[in-house]
Amino acid sequence: MGEDMIDRDLLLNAMREDRELRHKLRMLDAVIQFDLDGESFDLHVRGGEPVAVVDASDAPSATISAPRSFWDRALVREPARGYETLSVGGMHGAIIDAPFHDLAAPYQGAFQRMFVVLREAVAGKPERSGEKVEPYRSTDSAVGRYAFVRNGDREARVYYEEAGVGPTPLVLQHTAGADGRQYRHMLANPELQRRFRMIAWDLPFHGRSLPPIGERWWEEAYRPTKAELMDWCVAIAAALRIERPIFLGTSVGGQLALDLAAHHADRFRAFVSVNGWYEIVSRGPYDNEIHRHPRTSTDYFASRILAATAPSAPEAAAQEVYWVYRSNFPGVYAGDNDYFMNEHDLREDGHLIDATKTPVHVVTGEYDGSMLFPQHGGESVARHIPGVRFHELPGLGHFAPSDDPVRFCEAIIPILDEIVAASSNF
């Protein structure tokens, strides 16, 4: 990108024509400054409508800024990994400077979308995967049920969905603050149905599973421990009489796959950690209280999650990830993320994993954030723990089972077939 490459009339027209951006700007009056480190301009928004792109002012309502090195790699049609969104770009110096509770949080989706519109106005739209909205419509036959699950002295009414007639049970663990809807495409995939009996559950506090019975959950924040989350997984599998299933989890579920492999391997046939990490703790503690603050809009984390979907994922599927996250109870994401960011640490208990006895596979999307930190992410699990298999999935991201389900199913079936073959004698 050269000097003064932004055609302001073209950009304003793109902002005005983008229905998603206009929806996310609703009711906003603000001046948003773009500082491209050598080229700056203001976007004026009135009543939620982009009205002008003009010379930069001295007192904008908010500023989107980054070093020129970021913009040169981000404002291209196919940006490099780590430059594809404003959210991920934070590790390269991209900043949204705005009053947090009044502007940055409630309009996080608008800021993220502005960046996308800017890039597409400069460089054009990238190609996405096939946009077939319901790829497995004819085999979408999952059945939902409830079960009362006892976990020590606690009990919860847990919702789960089940599909498939295969001989091998496969349980599917959702991500932080989300629920089993993320696996609806896997449940409907005919090849997986033929191979497996699949069960996707909602942990207590998530989706259609309510908090544990008799607990005064309204008096305190949701703060599960690592042991508590593992124990619920074991308890649900036991309550549903699932004999030694393969455990596949994504994100928080990916961390749980690895921790269960260390502490409860005897209950499972194998583990598949999708976008799990070796450890994140050494990068510094993450303060999830920002997600519990009463004035923090749930759009803040949900829009950042939308920005973490793969750039080539079908748009409707990526937006569904956003929907699922915003439809769960506020504060549940924060509680799960406490564990994801601050408690999972295989430097402490990774030595307990025996992958020669119980197979462990780490599956990481090319655009997952952990790929930018190979010394901490999935690659490091395989590097430090003998027998763990690592797989990088080209073009896929953090939410691969839900934001690009066809490509994920195509990639995961051979891995699952390998696990079944390798674990048949265990």
Side-chain angles (χ1 to χ4, degrees), residues 18 47 55 101 142 156 218-219 242 249 270 312 347 357 372 385 418:
D18 192 88
D55 290 343
H101 289 117
W218 55 90
E219 295 179 349
I242 310 172
S312 62
R347 295 174 303 175
K357 181 178 180 180
L372 298 168
I385 301 175
E418 179 183 336

Side-chain angles (χ1 to χ4, degrees), residues 25-299:
L25 286 171
R26 61 194 183 275
M27 302 179 71
L28 178 64
D29 292 306
V31 176
I32 313 299
Q33 187 166 110
F34 290 80
D35 182 355
L36 278 58
D37 192 12
E39 180 178 1
S40 299
F41 52 89
D42 288 350
L43 169 68
H44 286 247
V45 180
R46 295 289 178 266
E49 296 290 334
V51 296
V53 176
V54 299
D55 290 343
S57 62
D58 294 330
S61 310
T63 301
I64 298 173
S65 63
R68 191 56 175 252
S69 58
F70 169 80
W71 296 112
D72 286 344
R73 301 188 70 181
L75 298 185
V76 295
R77 190 167 181 266
E78 301 289 345
R81 184 172 62 199
Y83 296 84
E84 65 271 22
T85 68
L86 188 61
S87 178
V88 179
M91 66 184 66
H92 299 295
I95 297 171
I96 299 172
D97 184 7
F100 182 77
H101 289 117
D102 292 331
L103 191 53
Y107 288 99
Q108 183 67 205
F111 286 115
Q112 298 293 340
R113 186 62 188 171
M114 283 180 207
F115 169 81
V116 173
V117 174
L118 171 61
R119 184 182 67 212
E120 292 180 352
V122 171
K125 292 185 177 183
E127 291 186 10
R128 286 184 174 267
S129 298
E131 289 287 337
K132 190 174 182 180
V133 176
E134 296 295 338
Y136 309 117
R137 178 189 293 270
S138 64
T139 51
D140 190 358
S141 57
V143 175
R145 297 184 176 90
Y146 288 92
F148 286 94
V149 176
R150 173 68 65 175
N151 178 15
D153 61 357
R154 309 173 78 189
E155 186 180 30
R157 183 172 179 260
V158 169
Y159 178 79
Y160 67 100
E161 292 184 345
E162 183 173 348
V165 296
T168 304
L170 170 65
V171 299
L172 306 169
Q173 174 60 58
H174 57 74
T175 66
D179 57 70
R181 285 176 291 177
Q182 293 178 317
Y183 291 107
R184 70 183 188 89
H185 296 291
M186 286 188 69
L187 292 173
N189 180 282
E191 289 300 312
L192 288 170
Q193 289 177 346
R194 182 172 62 83
R195 288 166 166 82
F196 301 99
R197 173 197 172 201
M198 294 177 284
I199 300 97
W201 59 55
D202 298 349
L203 288 176
F205 297 92
H206 299 72
R208 281 186 273 186
S209 294
L210 294 171
I213 298 166
E215 296 190 4
R216 299 180 66 82
W217 56 267
W218 55 90
E219 295 179 349
E220 59 186 5
Y222 167 74
R223 298 179 185 273
T225 64
K226 170 179 163 179
E228 179 183 339
L229 291 170
M230 288 193 297
D231 288 348
W232 277 118
C233 292
V234 172
I236 296 170
L240 300 182
R241 295 182 174 86
I242 310 172
E243 294 295 329
R244 296 188 68 244
I246 298 172
F247 183 99
L248 183 151
T250 303
S251 188
V252 154
Q255 309 287 60
L256 281 169
L258 296 168
D259 288 330
L260 287 167
H263 297 281
H264 297 281
D266 59 317
R267 303 295 186 94
F268 299 90
R269 178 175 183 144
F271 299 92
V272 181
S273 171
V274 181
N275 296 322
W277 293 60
Y278 183 67
E279 60 88 17
I280 312 179
V281 180
S282 65
R283 295 175 56 203
Y286 184 84
D287 185 5
N288 281 289
E289 294 306 310
I290 195 172
H291 303 301
R292 296 188 177 99
H293 194 290
R295 293 187 62 205
T296 300
S297 168
T298 57
D299 189 64

